[in-house]
Coordinates of all heavy atoms in Angstrom, one line a residue:
K86 N -10.2 -6.4 -10.8 CA -9.1 -5.6 -10.4 C -7.9 -5.8 -11.3 O -7.6 -6.9 -11.6 CB -8.7 -5.9 -8.9 CG -7.7 -4.9 -8.3 CD -7.5 -5.3 -6.9 CE -6.8 -4.2 -6.2 NZ -6.7 -4.4 -4.8
E87 N -7.2 -4.7 -11.7 CA -6.1 -4.8 -12.6 C -4.9 -5.5 -11.9 O -4.7 -5.3 -10.7 CB -5.6 -3.4 -13.0 CG -6.6 -2.6 -13.7 CD -6.1 -1.2 -14.0 OE1 -4.8 -1.1 -14.1 OE2 -6.9 -0.3 -13.9
V88 N -4.2 -6.4 -12.6 CA -3.1 -7.0 -12.1 C -2.0 -6.0 -11.7 O -1.4 -6.0 -10.7 CB -2.5 -8.0 -13.1 CG1 -1.2 -8.6 -12.6 CG2 -3.5 -9.2 -13.3
E89 N -1.9 -5.0 -12.6 CA -0.8 -4.0 -12.4 C -1.1 -3.1 -11.2 O -0.2 -2.4 -10.7 CB -0.6 -3.1 -13.6 CG -1.8 -2.3 -14.0 CD -1.6 -1.6 -15.4 OE1 -0.6 -1.9 -16.0 OE2 -2.5 -0.9 -15.7
A90 N -2.3 -3.0 -10.7 CA -2.7 -2.2 -9.6 C -2.9 -3.1 -8.3 O -3.5 -2.7 -7.4 CB -3.9 -1.4 -9.8
A91 N -2.3 -4.3 -8.3 CA -2.5 -5.2 -7.2 C -1.9 -4.6 -5.9 O -0.9 -3.9 -5.9 CB -1.8 -6.5 -7.5
D92 N -2.5 -5.0 -4.8 CA -2.0 -4.5 -3.5 C -0.6 -5.2 -3.2 O 0.2 -4.6 -2.5 CB -3.0 -4.9 -2.3 CG -4.2 -4.0 -2.3 OD1 -4.2 -2.9 -3.0 OD2 -5.2 -4.4 -1.7
D93 N -0.5 -6.4 -3.6 CA 0.8 -7.2 -3.3 C 1.4 -7.5 -4.6 O 0.9 -8.2 -5.5 CB 0.4 -8.5 -2.5 CG 1.7 -9.2 -2.0 OD1 2.8 -8.9 -2.5 OD2 1.5 -10.0 -1.1
F94 N 2.6 -7.0 -4.8 CA 3.3 -7.2 -6.1 C 3.8 -8.7 -6.3 O 4.2 -9.0 -7.4 CB 4.6 -6.3 -6.2 CG 4.2 -4.8 -6.3 CD1 5.1 -3.9 -6.0 CD2 2.9 -4.4 -6.6 CE1 4.8 -2.5 -6.1 CE2 2.6 -3.1 -6.7 CZ 3.5 -2.1 -6.5
L95 N 3.7 -9.5 -5.3 CA 4.0 -10.9 -5.5 C 3.0 -11.6 -6.4 O 3.2 -12.7 -6.9 CB 4.1 -11.7 -4.2 CG 5.2 -11.3 -3.3 CD1 5.2 -12.2 -2.0 CD2 6.6 -11.5 -4.0
T96 N 1.8 -10.9 -6.6 CA 0.8 -11.4 -7.5 C 1.1 -11.0 -9.0 O 0.3 -11.5 -9.9 CB -0.6 -11.0 -7.1 OG1 -0.7 -9.5 -7.2 CG2 -0.9 -11.4 -5.7
L97 N 2.1 -10.2 -9.2 CA 2.4 -9.8 -10.6 C 2.9 -11.0 -11.4 O 3.6 -11.9 -10.8 CB 3.5 -8.7 -10.6 CG 3.1 -7.4 -10.0 CD1 4.3 -6.4 -10.0 CD2 1.9 -6.8 -10.9
P98 N 2.6 -11.1 -12.7 CA 3.1 -12.3 -13.5 C 4.7 -12.3 -13.5 O 5.2 -13.4 -13.5 CB 2.6 -12.0 -14.9 CG 1.5 -11.0 -14.7 CD 1.7 -10.3 -13.5
N99 N 5.3 -11.1 -13.5 CA 6.8 -11.0 -13.5 C 7.2 -10.0 -12.5 O 6.9 -8.8 -12.6 CB 7.3 -10.6 -14.9 CG 7.0 -11.6 -16.0 OD1 7.3 -12.8 -15.9 ND2 6.3 -11.2 -17.0
L100 N 7.9 -10.5 -11.5 CA 8.3 -9.6 -10.4 C 9.7 -9.2 -10.7 O 10.7 -9.8 -10.3 CB 8.3 -10.3 -9.1 CG 8.6 -9.5 -7.8 CD1 7.6 -8.4 -7.7 CD2 8.6 -10.3 -6.6
D101 N 9.8 -8.1 -11.5 CA 11.1 -7.5 -11.9 C 11.0 -6.0 -11.8 O 9.9 -5.4 -11.6 CB 11.5 -8.0 -13.3 CG 10.5 -7.7 -14.4 OD1 9.5 -7.0 -14.1 OD2 10.7 -8.2 -15.5
E102 N 12.1 -5.3 -11.9 CA 12.1 -3.9 -11.7 C 11.2 -3.1 -12.6 O 10.4 -2.3 -12.1 CB 13.6 -3.4 -11.9 CG 13.7 -1.9 -11.7 CD 15.1 -1.4 -11.8 OE1 16.0 -2.2 -12.0 OE2 15.3 -0.2 -11.7
P103 N 11.1 -3.4 -13.9 CA 10.2 -2.6 -14.8 C 8.7 -2.8 -14.4 O 8.0 -1.8 -14.3 CB 10.4 -3.2 -16.2 CG 11.8 -3.8 -16.2 CD 12.0 -4.3 -14.8
N104 N 8.3 -4.0 -14.0 CA 6.9 -4.3 -13.6 C 6.6 -3.6 -12.2 O 5.5 -3.1 -12.0 CB 6.6 -5.8 -13.6 CG 6.4 -6.3 -15.0 OD1 5.7 -5.7 -15.7 ND2 7.1 -7.4 -15.3
I105 N 7.6 -3.7 -11.3 CA 7.4 -3.0 -10.0 C 7.2 -1.5 -10.2 O 6.3 -0.9 -9.7 CB 8.5 -3.4 -9.1 CG1 8.4 -4.9 -8.7 CG2 8.4 -2.5 -7.8 CD1 9.6 -5.3 -7.9
L106 N 8.1 -0.9 -11.0 CA 8.0 0.5 -11.2 C 6.7 0.9 -11.9 O 6.1 1.9 -11.6 CB 9.3 1.0 -12.0 CG 10.6 0.9 -11.3 CD1 11.7 1.3 -12.2 CD2 10.6 1.8 -10.0
H107 N 6.3 0.1 -12.9 CA 5.1 0.4 -13.6 C 3.9 0.3 -12.6 O 3.0 1.2 -12.6 CB 4.9 -0.5 -14.7 CG 3.6 -0.4 -15.4 ND1 3.3 0.7 -16.2 CD2 2.4 -1.1 -15.4 CE1 2.0 0.6 -16.7 NE2 1.5 -0.5 -16.2
S108 N 3.9 -0.7 -11.8 CA 2.8 -0.9 -10.8 C 2.8 0.3 -9.8 O 1.7 0.8 -9.4 CB 2.9 -2.2 -10.1 OG 2.7 -3.3 -11.0
L109 N 3.9 0.6 -9.3 CA 4.0 1.8 -8.4 C 3.5 3.1 -9.0 O 2.7 3.8 -8.4 CB 5.5 2.0 -7.9 CG 6.0 1.0 -6.9 CD1 7.5 1.3 -6.7 CD2 5.3 1.1 -5.6
R110 N 3.8 3.2 -10.3 CA 3.3 4.4 -11.1 C 1.8 4.4 -11.2 O 1.1 5.4 -10.9 CB 4.0 4.5 -12.4 CG 3.7 5.8 -13.2 CD 4.5 5.9 -14.5 NE 5.9 5.7 -14.3 CZ 6.6 4.6 -14.7 NH1 6.0 3.7 -15.4 NH2 7.9 4.6 -14.5
V111 N 1.2 3.2 -11.6 CA -0.2 3.1 -11.7 C -0.9 3.4 -10.4 O -1.9 4.1 -10.3 CB -0.6 1.7 -12.2 CG1 -2.1 1.4 -12.1 CG2 -0.1 1.5 -13.7
R112 N -0.4 2.8 -9.3 CA -1.0 3.0 -8.0 C -0.8 4.4 -7.5 O -1.8 5.0 -6.9 CB -0.4 2.0 -7.0 CG -0.8 0.6 -7.3 CD -0.1 -0.4 -6.3 NE -0.5 -0.2 -5.0 CZ -1.6 -0.6 -4.4 NH1 -2.5 -1.2 -5.1 NH2 -1.8 -0.4 -3.1
Y113 N 0.3 5.1 -7.8 CA 0.5 6.5 -7.4 C -0.5 7.4 -8.1 O -1.1 8.2 -7.4 CB 1.9 6.9 -7.9 CG 2.2 8.4 -7.7 CD1 2.6 8.8 -6.4 CD2 2.1 9.3 -8.7 CE1 2.9 10.2 -6.2 CE2 2.3 10.6 -8.5 CZ 2.7 11.1 -7.3 OH 2.9 12.4 -7.1
W114 N -0.8 7.2 -9.4 CA -1.7 8.0 -10.1 C -3.2 7.8 -9.6 O -4.0 8.6 -9.8 CB -1.6 7.9 -11.6 CG -0.3 8.5 -12.1 CD1 0.7 7.9 -12.7 CD2 0.0 9.9 -12.0 NE1 1.7 8.8 -13.0 CE2 1.3 10.0 -12.6 CE3 -0.6 11.0 -11.5 CZ2 2.0 11.3 -12.6 CZ3 0.0 12.3 -11.6 CH2 1.3 12.4 -12.1
K115 N -3.4 6.6 -9.0 CA -4.7 6.3 -8.4 C -4.8 6.9 -7.0 O -5.8 6.7 -6.3 CB -5.0 4.8 -8.4 CG -5.2 4.3 -9.8 CD -5.6 2.8 -9.7 CE -5.9 2.3 -11.1 NZ -6.5 1.0 -11.1
G116 N -3.7 7.5 -6.5 CA -3.7 8.0 -5.1 C -3.4 7.0 -4.1 O -3.6 7.3 -2.9
V117 N -2.8 5.9 -4.5 CA -2.5 4.8 -3.5 C -1.0 4.8 -3.3 O -0.2 4.6 -4.2 CB -2.9 3.4 -4.0 CG1 -2.6 2.3 -3.0 CG2 -4.4 3.4 -4.4
V118 N -0.5 5.2 -2.1 CA 0.9 5.4 -1.9 C 1.6 4.2 -1.2 O 2.8 4.1 -1.2 CB 1.2 6.6 -1.0 CG1 0.7 7.9 -1.8 CG2 0.5 6.5 0.3
Y119 N 0.8 3.2 -0.7 CA 1.4 2.0 -0.1 C 1.1 0.8 -0.9 O 0.0 0.6 -1.4 CB 0.8 1.8 1.3 CG 1.2 2.8 2.3 CD1 0.3 3.7 2.9 CD2 2.6 3.0 2.7 CE1 0.7 4.7 3.8 CE2 2.9 3.9 3.6 CZ 2.0 4.8 4.2 OH 2.4 5.7 5.1
S120 N 2.1 -0.1 -1.0 CA 2.0 -1.4 -1.7 C 2.8 -2.4 -0.9 O 3.8 -2.1 -0.2 CB 2.5 -1.3 -3.1 OG 1.9 -0.3 -3.8
Y121 N 2.4 -3.7 -1.1 CA 3.2 -4.8 -0.4 C 4.0 -5.5 -1.5 O 3.6 -5.6 -2.6 CB 2.3 -5.8 0.2 CG 1.7 -5.4 1.5 CD1 0.3 -5.5 1.7 CD2 2.5 -5.0 2.6 CE1 -0.3 -5.1 2.9 CE2 1.9 -4.6 3.8 CZ 0.5 -4.7 4.0 OH 0.0 -4.3 5.2
T122 N 5.1 -6.0 -1.1 CA 5.8 -7.1 -1.8 C 6.1 -8.1 -0.8 O 7.0 -8.1 0.0 CB 7.2 -6.6 -2.4 OG1 6.9 -5.5 -3.3 CG2 7.9 -7.7 -3.2
G123 N 5.1 -9.0 -0.6 CA 5.2 -10.0 0.5 C 4.9 -9.3 1.8 O 3.9 -8.6 1.9
A124 N 5.8 -9.4 2.7 CA 5.7 -8.8 4.0 C 6.3 -7.4 4.0 O 6.2 -6.7 5.0 CB 6.4 -9.6 5.1
I125 N 6.9 -7.0 2.9 CA 7.6 -5.7 2.8 C 6.6 -4.6 2.4 O 6.0 -4.8 1.3 CB 8.8 -5.7 1.9 CG1 9.8 -6.8 2.3 CG2 9.5 -4.4 1.7 CD1 10.8 -7.1 1.3
L126 N 6.5 -3.5 3.1 CA 5.7 -2.4 2.7 C 6.5 -1.4 1.9 O 7.5 -0.9 2.4 CB 5.1 -1.7 4.0 CG 4.2 -0.5 3.7 CD1 2.9 -1.0 3.1 CD2 3.9 0.2 5.0
L127 N 6.0 -1.1 0.7 CA 6.7 0.0 -0.1 C 5.8 1.2 0.0 O 4.6 1.2 0.0 CB 6.7 -0.5 -1.6 CG 7.4 -1.8 -1.9 CD1 7.2 -2.2 -3.3 CD2 8.9 -1.7 -1.5
A128 N 6.5 2.4 0.2 CA 5.8 3.7 0.2 C 6.4 4.6 -0.8 O 7.6 4.7 -1.0 CB 6.0 4.3 1.6
V129 N 5.4 5.3 -1.4 CA 5.8 6.4 -2.4 C 5.4 7.7 -1.8 O 4.2 7.8 -1.4 CB 5.1 6.1 -3.8 CG1 5.5 7.2 -4.8 CG2 5.5 4.7 -4.3
N130 N 6.3 8.7 -1.8 CA 5.9 10.0 -1.3 C 4.9 10.7 -2.3 O 5.3 10.9 -3.5 CB 7.2 10.8 -1.2 CG 6.9 12.2 -0.5 OD1 5.8 12.6 -0.4 ND2 7.9 12.8 0.0
P131 N 3.7 11.0 -1.8 CA 2.7 11.5 -2.8 C 2.9 13.0 -3.1 O 2.3 13.6 -4.0 CB 1.4 11.3 -2.0 CG 1.8 11.3 -0.6 CD 3.2 10.7 -0.5
W132 N 3.8 13.7 -2.3 CA 4.0 15.1 -2.4 C 2.7 15.9 -2.4 O 2.6 17.0 -3.0 CB 4.7 15.4 -3.7 CG 6.1 14.8 -3.8 CD1 6.4 13.6 -4.4 CD2 7.3 15.2 -3.1 NE1 7.8 13.3 -4.2 CE2 8.3 14.3 -3.4 CE3 7.6 16.3 -2.3 CZ2 9.6 14.4 -2.9 CZ3 8.9 16.4 -1.8 CH2 9.9 15.5 -2.1
R133 N 1.7 15.4 -1.7 CA 0.5 16.1 -1.4 C -0.2 15.5 -0.2 O 0.1 14.3 0.1 CB -0.4 16.2 -2.6 CG -0.9 14.8 -3.0 CD -1.7 14.9 -4.4 NE -2.4 13.7 -4.7 CZ -1.9 12.5 -5.0 NH1 -0.6 12.3 -5.0 NH2 -2.7 11.5 -5.4
S134 N -1.2 16.1 0.3 CA -1.9 15.5 1.4 C -2.9 14.5 0.8 O -3.6 14.7 -0.1 CB -2.7 16.6 2.1 OG -3.5 16.0 3.1
V135 N -2.8 13.3 1.4 CA -3.7 12.2 0.9 C -4.8 11.8 1.9 O -5.6 11.0 1.6 CB -2.9 11.0 0.4 CG1 -2.1 11.3 -0.8 CG2 -1.9 10.5 1.5
G136 N -4.7 12.3 3.1 CA -5.8 12.1 4.1 C -6.0 10.6 4.5 O -7.1 10.2 4.6
I137 N -4.9 9.9 4.7 CA -5.0 8.5 5.0 C -4.5 8.2 6.5 O -4.2 7.1 6.8 CB -4.2 7.6 4.0 CG1 -2.8 8.0 3.9 CG2 -4.9 7.7 2.7 CD1 -1.9 7.1 3.1
Y138 N -4.4 9.2 7.3 CA -3.8 9.0 8.6 C -4.8 9.5 9.7 O -4.4 10.0 10.8 CB -2.5 9.8 8.8 CG -1.5 9.4 7.7 CD1 -1.1 10.2 6.7 CD2 -0.9 8.1 7.8 CE1 -0.2 9.8 5.7 CE2 0.0 7.7 6.8 CZ 0.4 8.6 5.8 OH 1.3 8.2 4.9
S139 N -6.1 9.3 9.5 CA -7.1 9.7 10.5 C -7.2 8.7 11.7 O -6.7 7.6 11.6 CB -8.5 9.8 9.8 OG -8.9 8.5 9.5
Q140 N -7.8 9.2 12.8 CA -8.0 8.3 13.9 C -8.9 7.1 13.6 O -8.7 6.0 14.1 CB -8.6 9.1 15.1 CG -7.6 10.0 15.8 CD -6.5 9.1 16.6 OE1 -6.8 8.0 17.0 NE2 -5.3 9.7 16.6
D141 N -9.9 7.4 12.8 CA -10.8 6.3 12.4 C -10.0 5.2 11.6 O -10.2 4.0 11.8 CB -11.9 6.8 11.5 CG -12.9 7.7 12.2 OD1 -13.0 7.5 13.5 OD2 -13.5 8.5 11.6
R142 N -9.1 5.6 10.7 CA -8.3 4.6 10.0 C -7.4 3.9 10.9 O -7.2 2.6 10.8 CB -7.5 5.4 8.9 CG -6.8 4.6 7.9 CD -7.7 4.5 6.7 NE -7.0 3.7 5.7 CZ -6.9 4.1 4.4 NH1 -7.4 5.2 4.0 NH2 -6.4 3.3 3.6
L143 N -6.8 4.6 11.9 CA -5.9 3.9 12.8 C -6.7 2.9 13.6 O -6.2 1.7 13.8 CB -5.3 5.0 13.8 CG -4.5 4.4 14.9 CD1 -3.3 3.7 14.4 CD2 -4.1 5.6 15.8
Q144 N -7.9 3.2 14.1 CA -8.7 2.3 14.9 C -9.1 1.0 14.1 O -9.1 -0.1 14.6 CB -9.9 3.0 15.5 CG -9.6 4.0 16.5 CD -8.8 3.4 17.7 OE1 -9.0 2.3 18.2 NE2 -7.8 4.1 18.2
A145 N -9.4 1.3 12.8 CA -9.8 0.1 11.9 C -8.6 -0.8 11.8 O -8.8 -2.0 11.8 CB -10.2 0.7 10.6
H146 N -7.4 -0.3 11.6 CA -6.2 -1.2 11.5 C -5.9 -1.9 12.8 O -5.5 -3.0 12.8 CB -5.0 -0.4 11.0 CG -5.1 -0.1 9.5 ND1 -4.9 -1.0 8.6 CD2 -5.5 1.0 8.9 CE1 -5.0 -0.5 7.4 NE2 -5.4 0.7 7.5
C147 N -6.1 -1.2 13.9 CA -5.8 -1.8 15.2 C -6.8 -2.9 15.5 O -6.4 -3.9 16.1 CB -5.9 -0.7 16.3 SG -4.5 0.4 16.3
K148 N -8.0 -2.8 15.1 CA -9.0 -3.8 15.3 C -8.9 -5.0 14.4 O -9.5 -6.0 14.5 CB -10.4 -3.2 15.2 CG -10.8 -2.3 16.3 CD -12.1 -1.7 16.1 CE -12.4 -0.6 17.2 NZ -13.7 0.0 16.9
G149 N -8.1 -4.8 13.3 CA -7.9 -5.9 12.3 C -9.1 -6.1 11.4 O -9.2 -7.2 10.9
G150 N -9.8 -5.1 11.1 CA -11.0 -5.2 10.2 C -10.6 -5.3 8.8 O -9.4 -5.6 8.4
E151 N -11.5 -5.2 7.9 CA -11.3 -5.4 6.5 C -10.3 -4.4 5.9 O -9.5 -4.7 5.1 CB -12.6 -5.3 5.7 CG -12.6 -5.8 4.3 CD -12.3 -7.3 4.2 OE1 -12.7 -8.1 5.1 OE2 -11.7 -7.7 3.2
D152 N -10.3 -3.2 6.5 CA -9.4 -2.1 6.0 C -7.9 -2.5 6.4 O -7.0 -2.0 5.7 CB -9.7 -0.8 6.7 CG -10.9 -0.1 6.2 OD1 -11.4 -0.5 5.1 OD2 -11.5 0.8 6.8
A153 N -7.8 -3.4 7.4 CA -6.4 -3.7 7.8 C -5.7 -4.6 6.8 O -4.5 -4.8 6.9 CB -6.5 -4.4 9.1
K154 N -6.4 -5.1 5.8 CA -5.8 -6.0 4.8 C -5.1 -5.2 3.7 O -4.2 -5.7 3.0 CB -6.8 -6.9 4.2 CG -7.3 -7.9 5.2 CD -8.4 -8.8 4.6 CE -8.9 -9.7 5.7 NZ -10.0 -10.6 5.2
E155 N -5.5 -3.9 3.5 CA -4.9 -3.1 2.4 C -3.5 -2.6 2.9 O -3.3 -2.4 4.1 CB -5.8 -2.0 2.0 CG -6.0 -0.9 3.1 CD -7.0 0.1 2.6 OE1 -7.9 -0.2 2.0 OE2 -6.7 1.3 3.0
P156 N -2.6 -2.4 2.0 CA -1.3 -1.9 2.4 C -1.4 -0.5 3.1 O -2.0 0.4 2.6 CB -0.5 -1.8 1.1 CG -1.2 -2.6 0.2 CD -2.6 -2.6 0.6
H157 N -0.8 -0.4 4.3 CA -0.8 0.9 5.0 C 0.2 0.8 6.2 O 0.4 -0.3 6.7 CB -2.2 1.2 5.6 CG -2.4 2.6 6.0 ND1 -1.9 3.1 7.1 CD2 -3.1 3.6 5.4 CE1 -2.2 4.4 7.3 NE2 -2.9 4.7 6.2
I158 N 0.8 1.8 6.5 CA 1.8 1.8 7.6 C 1.1 1.4 8.9 O 1.7 0.7 9.8 CB 2.5 3.2 7.8 CG1 3.6 3.1 8.7 CG2 1.5 4.3 8.2 CD1 4.8 2.3 8.3
F159 N -0.2 1.8 9.1 CA -0.9 1.3 10.3 C -1.1 -0.2 10.4 O -1.0 -0.8 11.4 CB -2.3 2.0 10.4 CG -2.3 3.5 10.6 CD1 -3.4 4.2 10.3 CD2 -1.2 4.1 11.1 CE1 -3.4 5.6 10.5 CE2 -1.1 5.5 11.3 CZ -2.3 6.3 11.0
A160 N -1.3 -0.8 9.2 CA -1.4 -2.3 9.2 C -0.1 -2.9 9.5 O -0.1 -3.9 10.3 CB -1.9 -2.7 7.8
T161 N 1.0 -2.4 9.0 CA 2.3 -2.9 9.3 C 2.6 -2.8 10.8 O 3.1 -3.7 11.4 CB 3.4 -2.2 8.5 OG1 3.1 -2.4 7.1 CG2 4.8 -2.8 8.7
A162 N 2.3 -1.6 11.4 CA 2.5 -1.4 12.8 C 1.7 -2.3 13.7 O 2.2 -2.9 14.7 CB 2.2 0.1 13.2
A163 N 0.4 -2.6 13.3 CA -0.5 -3.4 14.0 C 0.0 -4.9 14.0 O 0.0 -5.6 15.0 CB -1.9 -3.4 13.5
K164 N 0.5 -5.3 12.8 CA 1.1 -6.7 12.7 C 2.3 -6.8 13.6 O 2.5 -7.8 14.2 CB 1.4 -7.0 11.2 CG 0.2 -7.2 10.4 CD 0.7 -7.5 8.9 CE -0.5 -7.4 8.0 NZ 0.0 -7.4 6.6
A165 N 3.2 -5.8 13.6 CA 4.4 -5.9 14.4 C 4.0 -5.9 15.9 O 4.7 -6.6 16.7 CB 5.3 -4.7 14.1
Y166 N 3.0 -5.1 16.3 CA 2.6 -5.1 17.7 C 2.1 -6.4 18.1 O 2.4 -6.9 19.2 CB 1.6 -4.0 17.9 CG 1.1 -3.9 19.3 CD1 1.9 -3.3 20.3 CD2 -0.2 -4.4 19.6 CE1 1.4 -3.2 21.6 CE2 -0.6 -4.3 21.0 CZ 0.2 -3.7 21.9 OH -0.3 -3.6 23.2
R167 N 1.3 -7.1 17.2 CA 0.8 -8.4 17.6 C 1.8 -9.6 17.6 O 1.5 -10.6 18.2 CB -0.4 -8.8 16.6 CG -1.6 -7.9 16.8 CD -2.7 -8.3 15.9 NE -3.8 -7.4 15.9 CZ -4.1 -6.6 14.9 NH1 -3.4 -6.7 13.7 NH2 -5.0 -5.7 15.0
A168 N 2.9 -9.3 16.9 CA 3.9 -10.4 16.8 C 4.7 -10.7 18.1 O 4.7 -10.0 19.0 CB 4.9 -10.1 15.7

């Protein structure tokens, strides 16, 4: 997996504005709109339908499965609910 396309930007070699913006751009072009910086969820408006808000996806995040580890608003909501 590319470092610049990492799910969590804390894994970047240099956590600065240019690297964050570059990583957001790389992830955006791959169709990935959510990223983490530690516990903070970053979201980029895709300006198109991305089909990531289905009931199946919601249930996967609520159950805490493997899908729940990737950055997503459902994962953040599930973590907050469990806290």
Side-chain angles (χ1 to χ4, degrees):
K86 190 174 192 175
E87 300 175 33
V88 172
E89 63 187 6
D92 287 343
D93 190 341
F94 292 163
L95 291 182
T96 62
L97 294 174
N99 297 305
L100 186 62
D101 56 10
E102 184 178 355
N104 284 311
I105 290 172
L106 291 175
H107 176 71
S108 294
L109 286 172
R110 190 176 303 112
V111 167
R112 291 176 63 77
Y113 174 84
W114 289 116
K115 289 183 175 191
V117 181
V118 297
Y119 292 115
S120 305
Y121 284 128
T122 300
I125 301 168
L126 180 69
L127 303 174
V129 177
N130 188 340
W132 297 99
R133 66 186 189 295
S134 178
V135 288
I137 58 174
Y138 303 108
S139 68
Q140 282 294 329
D141 292 336
R142 190 97 181 227
L143 174 62
Q144 291 304 319
H146 284 282
C147 288
K148 292 177 183 176
E151 196 62 33
D152 287 342
K154 294 179 182 177
E155 68 183 38
H157 196 285
I158 190 66
F159 293 161
T161 302
K164 287 177 193 171
Y166 180 76
R167 289 185 190 108

